[in-house]
Amino acid sequence: MSQPLKHVVIVGAGFAGLSAAKELARAPVTITIIDQQNHHLFQPLLYQVATAALTPAEIAVPIRHVLRRQRNAQVLMDRVVDVDTYAQKVMTESGRAVSYDALVIATGARHSYFGKDHWAKFAPGLKTLNDAFGLREKILMAFEQAEIVVEYDPEAAKRFQTFVVVGAGPTGVEMAGAIAELSFSVMRDFRRIDGKQNRIILLEGGPRVLPSFAEGLSSRALRDLGELGVEVRTGAMVTDIAAGRVTTNQGDIAAETVVWAAGVQASPAGRWLALPVPNSGHVEVDATLRPAGLENVYVIGDTAMHKADGVVLPGIAPVAKQMGIYVGRRLAKLARGQVPSKGFHYSDAGALATIGRNRAVADIFGLKLKGLLGWFIWGAAHVYFLIGFKNRLFVMLHWLWLYLTWQRGVRLIMHRETGGTGKDIRTPS
Amino acid sequence: MSQPLKHVVIVGAGFAGLSAAKELARAPVTITIIDQQNHHLFQPLLYQVATAALTPAEIAVPIRHVLRRQRNAQVLMDRVVDVDTYAQKVMTESGRAVSYDALVIATGARHSYFGKDHWAKFAPGLKTLNDAFGLREKILMAFEQAEIVVEYDPEAAKRFQTFVVVGAGPTGVEMAGAIAELSFSVMRDFRRIDGKQNRIILLEGGPRVLPSFAEGLSSRALRDLGELGVEVRTGAMVTDIAAGRVTTNQGDIAAETVVWAAGVQASPAGRWLALPVPNSGHVEVDATLRPAGLENVYVIGDTAMHKADGVVLPGIAPVAKQMGIYVGRRLAKLARGQVPSKGFHYSDAGALATIGRNRAVADIFGLKLKGLLGWFIWGAAHVYFLIGFKNRLFVMLHWLWLYLTWQRGVRLIMHRETGGTGKDIRTPS
């Protein structure tokens, strides 16, 4: 490199960014980690916050707290708006220009509506605590609204008791299963509405659920979903989403609550770097996780598109973590003037998805696990990867409580503005 | 009464309303309990949510869940907009008219700015989970903002590190102590700002803190506050509050975060009932907790003004609970055609206030307790009065964790709208 590697700027404190920062703990560099949130979020359990099983604090930890003992790291809570790769500066919303010798971009992805962004209003996705919080509110309010209108408008009540999840990847499957368990467990607390009217519909454009899993696990997941009362519709293409209605190539569905788990859109990193990117926004990177032509910029995690043996790596936590560790180690060597390691290699430990209590499918180290065993593996793996002993402890306690009592402990509706969301939300649409 | 007492409508599911409902569990009546929230809130611990010690779910429980086994009770999540005492109907926001034979109004109170409502924007109070949530965000953001601006605008940083609490009643004292502990405990996670710049200022118009407590306990609380680093200013009258500034008769204070704990305003029950009420909005009730001239309407809890031996009862949980129980029993008797009980009598068990770890003052059953002992009594009493085993368990665990690690577990900032609150909040004002 032209100048010595002294200051590393990492944008984004998800699995990828945080792993890179930790890997640099003993390297002769200073690190500035910039994130628009103050917390690292354990996204794999976000759907449990959205379905009132866990509290936000249990799956999130302040970034400063994670790095409090890493003296060469400082955290800046700010939003990046642009990058000047010539001057080697990162521009932030608060007006700072942060210089870097090496830049690591790990800003993740948001959900994508394939150009139909007006669907977002009716079919929110699940990427941030705020998303989960809003979705939890929407799901819980649906039952309250049904209880209010059921007598004078049974059709509206049915609409409020119908939940549609679009996309049957791991997130969609977990979401559908969790909504099913939630909707049937809260029924005993209501007096007027009928639990039999609850419908949870999972829409998948492809031929099977969990397309990234082996056939056998897909069909097991399908069976588990059926046993939980989830209606699965494969080959179902969503053509339109509006207030209270989802239109598909298989007909209309009247539903007030729609969850989007169908597609993702990478962060605007490509624009910041003035690189050509596909519609998905992903930035293509080489074996060293750098975009072509940028000497000291790395793009990792869900923002990156990296082909391993011609196959694009999926946007999942293990890939992000391993990319972060790779870049951290590479930069540590460069800072010490050593020869950097070879290209990035992803070691695939497999995949897990839970459908509900005692139900999960796992494909790890070649082993195909189902049912209770898969479920235990799933739980153990997720607790293990949580950051912070406290969160591990409280998540396990919460799960134990939920398992023994069937009671979802976090059924809170907190209207953002008194009268605001409250009013709108309570007026049947 | 003209017609038999069959249907009781209770508005508000706080301590007063919920106690009344439970007391009627075995009475030959049906109960409709209406609340604009879906949860009963344990307000005495709300300040701990605002200071990142507890999660919202730990001090709130769905009203439906509390009453799930009480078959004669149904819950309606709706907002009351008016009452027709002639037709004996309650009008709600969703357009219903709920008939009643007896009406119990327990709608509590909000904070009052003594006519200076424009102060609310700069000095939020603490009554709902939403209030606590917003305040937590504001307090945590203040440190983040200070960290961002400290280098190029030290004065602004000082402003962000200064916290003013207005009013030194129990809520104000507990808030000030908790902010002090929070602000000093998070400092180790920051790299630039200096903890010595943190200032917590408690303003009290009267001559001493905790005016409702005995002199000795007041002075002990004052000493405890001092040891926590809280600056207490008595005889301080707030004359104006604006962005970044509090003006008092003792001069200006530059502070970005101001908490209002000075006054309360009863709910609009008086207007619903077309009764003359004082500025505070409280509805004066007789010995049977009914407003003059209304045969079958009861007003209880913080909404009511009840003089016991010429002294107005304070707006605290024990008073609300006992009023609810009294009205519940009275209505049960009336429903059974029995002679109702005599007038309401409040049995005063005393008062408690905590200042911080190992520090509290208690005046119970004539005993004056301080320090560690008072603190244990305070904690035990609060856990005891929490509703639900789960919440008791999790609150105790959280407190234990906090006690052992000094770590406030809930330091989450969740911008309501990405870019929205986030942007505004991050631009130094």
Side-chain angles (χ1 to χ4, degrees), chain B residues 175 213 235 397:
Chain B
M175 243 346 256
F213 285 62
L397 284 168

Side-chain angles (χ1 to χ4, degrees), chain B residues 10-67:
Chain B
I10 300 172
V11 186
F15 290 112
L18 216 46
S19 305
K22 286 173 162 178
E23 208 59 34
L24 286 164
R26 274 162 212 73
V29 296
T30 60
I31 305 159
T32 301
I33 187 156
I34 307 174
D35 199 296
Q36 62 188 25
Q37 304 285 358
N38 80 321
H39 53 271
H40 164 79
L41 178 64
F42 190 74
Q43 274 183 356
L45 287 178
L46 199 52
Y47 80 97
Q48 294 212 356
V49 171
T51 51
L54 296 176
T55 73
E58 286 166 339
I59 63 162
V61 49
I63 299 159
R64 297 188 181 290
H65 189 68
V66 178
L67 298 173

Side-chain angles (χ1 to χ4, degrees), chain A residues 32 36-39 55-58 60-62 64-65 67-79 93-94 96 110 128-130 133 140-141 143-144 147-149 151-152 188-192 389-391 393-394 397-398 401 407-420 422-423 426 428, chain B residues 32 36-39 55-58 60-62 64-65 67-79 93-94 96 110 128-130 133 140-141 143-144 147-152 188-192 389-391 393-394 397-398 401 407-420 422-423 426:
Chain A
T32 301
Q36 62 188 21
Q37 304 283 0
N38 80 321
H39 53 271
T55 74
E58 286 167 339
V61 47
R64 298 188 181 288
H65 190 68
L67 298 173
R68 68 195 179 283
R69 294 199 188 83
Q70 187 171 329
R71 302 311 302 187
N72 70 339
Q74 70 166 323
V75 178
L76 203 58
M77 183 177 172
D78 205 342
R79 180 175 289 128
E93 193 176 67
S94 76
R96 324 183 123 239
R110 291 285 302 169
T128 68
L129 274 183
N130 231 15
F133 198 80
L140 296 175
M141 267 318 285
F143 294 109
E144 298 294 338
E147 182 85 347
I148 288 178
V149 302
E151 283 168 346
Y152 59 84
R188 65 189 148 187
D189 294 359
F190 288 84
R191 297 279 186 270
R192 303 172 178 181
F389 172 76
K390 171 175 163 294
N391 285 347
L393 176 70
F394 277 73
L397 284 169
H398 239 129
W401 179 263
Q407 287 171 15
R408 304 228 158 212
V410 199
R411 280 165 42 204
L412 292 186
I413 300 169
M414 291 158 55
H415 304 310
R416 305 311 173 85
E417 302 296 324
T418 314
K423 203 175 233 113
R426 229 172 288 122
Chain B
T32 301
Q36 62 188 25
Q37 304 285 358
N38 80 321
H39 53 271
T55 73
E58 286 166 339
V61 49
R64 297 188 181 290
H65 189 68
L67 298 173
R68 69 193 179 282
R69 295 202 186 84
Q70 187 170 329
R71 303 310 303 186
N72 70 339
Q74 72 167 322
V75 179
L76 203 59
M77 184 177 170
D78 205 343
R79 181 176 288 126
E93 192 176 69
S94 75
R96 326 183 119 238
R110 290 284 301 166
T128 68
L129 275 182
N130 231 15
F133 200 79
L140 296 175
M141 270 313 289
F143 295 109
E144 298 293 338
E147 182 84 348
I148 288 177
V149 301
V150 66
E151 283 167 347
Y152 59 84
R188 64 189 148 187
D189 294 358
F190 288 84
R191 296 279 186 268
R192 302 173 178 180
F389 173 76
K390 172 174 162 292
N391 285 346
L393 175 70
F394 277 72
L397 284 168
H398 240 128
W401 178 264
Q407 287 171 14
R408 303 227 159 212
V410 199
R411 280 165 43 203
L412 293 185
I413 300 171
M414 290 160 54
H415 305 309
R416 306 310 173 86
E417 303 296 325
T418 314
K423 204 173 232 118
R426 229 172 289 123

Side-chain angles (χ1 to χ4, degrees), chain A residues 259-340:
Chain A
V259 183
W260 187 260
V264 295
Q265 166 86 40
S267 78
R271 183 163 49 69
W272 298 342
L273 300 172
L275 293 170
V277 291
N279 290 340
S280 71
H282 291 97
V283 175
E284 183 157 10
V285 292
D286 62 19
T288 58
L289 306 185
R290 290 178 295 181
L294 289 174
E295 171 75 24
N296 51 3
V297 177
Y298 299 80
V299 180
I300 58 178
D302 289 3
T303 312
M305 178 172 65
H306 177 269
K307 287 207 184 73
D309 326 322
V311 191
V312 175
L313 292 178
I316 55 177
V319 172
K321 263 187 130 124
Q322 292 181 35
M323 284 180 161
I325 290 166
Y326 170 83
V327 168
R329 289 190 181 149
R330 180 183 165 86
L331 290 173
K333 284 200 168 169
L334 288 170
R336 295 196 180 92
Q338 299 166 349
V339 183

